[in-house]
Amino acid sequence: PWPVTLDNVTVRYPNGVVALKDVSLSIGAGEMVAVVGLSGSGKSTMIRTINGLVQPTQGSVTVGPHAMTALRGAALRRARGDIGMIFQSFNLADRTSVYRNAMVGRFSHTPTWRTLLGIATAEDRDIVMRALDSVGMLEKVWGRAGALSGGQKQRVAIARALAQEPAVMLADEPVASLDPPTAHAVMADLSDINADRGLTVLVNLHLMDLARQYTTRMIGLRAGEVVYDGPAASATDAD
Ligand code: ADP
Ligand code: ADP
């Protein structure tokens, strides 16, 4: 696993909104951190800045060996291959099998003529099957992703990210559209990934309860500024 650091990061969008204000923090290799804040507090912007989808107006971001804010083009795409991403809306290809969806993660990591043609090696298949197994989705592997429940879709999205063999996992409100029991199950999967694979995990949440229960460190954002950074278990709503 790799550390993630933000140094004096400010993000101002073209419309003038300052979504992050001089944010500095460092996340250790193998930590499991929740970023908590109301809608509009800058959580998505932080994740998009870490994986290089948003360029900060000021400051820099590093993910392990990658100086994300200095990279462009192919080098940035390669660096992103080391960062697993999970979204609230799953972003699966619904008409395609669970297996093919998970293979997308594996192929995006190694763009060659072979992967562009969709040809998997035995190693690719092995990695994808193990990723699906680790989130309990092996029995659905040949079914269409569109036929799955929300929780199952999110598990396939986690497997797709794991198939990249990432060093860091970023999850942007991964359980916001799931019912409470399913949200807990998906958080438990993320927690297992952190514990078993030792991956650094950063997860955006708007519910502090989930952060307290499944993560060790909580970063509170309000209007683009860090207003809390400490143990998740002892954070209160007043923070
Ligand atoms: P969330 O609160 O879950 O981040 P939003 O509804 O704020 O979701 O944003 C959804 C999408 O709309 C994102 O891709 C974001 O970049 C974009 N977006 C949000 N606010 C604005 C805005 N004021 N102007 C342009 N795009 C925006
Ligand atoms: P959160 O994930 O906590 O809901 P966001 O990072 O999505 O917060 O948004 C932070 C602020 O930036 C909000 O005011 C939002 O409207 C604004 N914003 C987000 N994306 C864009 C964008 N692409 N263009 C302009 N403003 C945006």
Side-chain angles (χ1 to χ4, degrees):
W2 289 343
V4 175
T5 63
L6 284 77
D7 277 314
N8 302 105
V9 170
T10 294
V11 172
R12 178 193 296 271
Y13 285 111
N15 61 356
V17 171
V18 180
L20 291 178
K21 289 176 195 157
D22 199 26
V23 171
S24 294
L25 51 92
S26 76
I27 294 166
E31 265 197 280
M32 173 129 184
V33 178
V35 179
V36 177
L38 299 175
S39 180
S41 59
K43 305 183 297 297
S44 296
T45 299
M46 185 184 283
I47 275 192
R48 293 202 300 260
T49 306
I50 293 170
N51 91 334
L53 286 168
V54 167
Q55 278 296 325
T57 321
Q58 270 176 47
S60 60
V61 174
T62 63
V63 177
H66 303 302
M68 299 303 294
T69 38
L71 299 176
R72 301 288 182 276
L76 181 56
R77 282 196 297 280
R78 262 197 306 279
R80 277 197 199 124
D82 293 326
I83 303 173
M85 285 285 291
I86 300 164
F87 306 93
Q88 175 176 349
S89 52
F90 323 127
N91 295 359
L92 298 180
D94 278 345
R95 299 165 60 87
T96 310
S97 69
V98 162
Y99 173 80
R100 278 276 148 203
N101 270 281
M103 189 63 81
V104 165
R106 176 72 188 154
F107 282 173
S108 69
H109 193 39
T110 53
T112 62
W113 64 268
R114 181 178 62 72
T115 60
L116 289 172
L117 292 173
I119 301 167
T121 63
E123 188 194 13
D124 293 332
R125 280 193 291 273
D126 194 46
I127 285 167
V128 163
M129 290 306 228
R130 271 191 284 127
L132 286 166
D133 191 22
S134 67
V135 292
M137 289 302 295
L138 264 194
E139 54 197 84
K140 300 278 185 183
V141 68
W142 305 118
R144 275 168 35 147
L148 301 175
S149 69
Q152 291 171 331
K153 284 181 183 171
Q154 195 57 298
R155 287 193 198 105
V156 173
I158 293 171
R160 177 181 58 192
L162 288 175
Q164 284 175 241
E165 302 193 296
V168 172
M169 186 76 90
L170 306 177
D172 193 0
E173 299 267 11
V175 301
S177 59
L178 304 176
D179 60 66
T182 311
H184 278 271
V186 167
M187 286 304 298
D189 279 339
L190 284 175
S191 172
D192 288 347
I193 285 162
N194 170 255
D196 300 345
R197 300 191 182 226
L199 273 179
T200 309
V201 176
L202 192 151
V203 52
N204 285 351
L205 294 168
H206 62 270
L207 294 176
M208 278 179 71
D209 285 347
L210 290 175
R212 282 194 206 100
Q213 201 168 335
Y214 294 98
T215 71
T216 45
R217 174 176 167 194
M218 192 186 308
I219 293 169
L221 276 187
R222 188 186 298 146
E225 293 183 279
V226 175
V227 292
Y228 179 86
D229 186 353
S234 57
T236 67
D237 295 299
D239 296 316

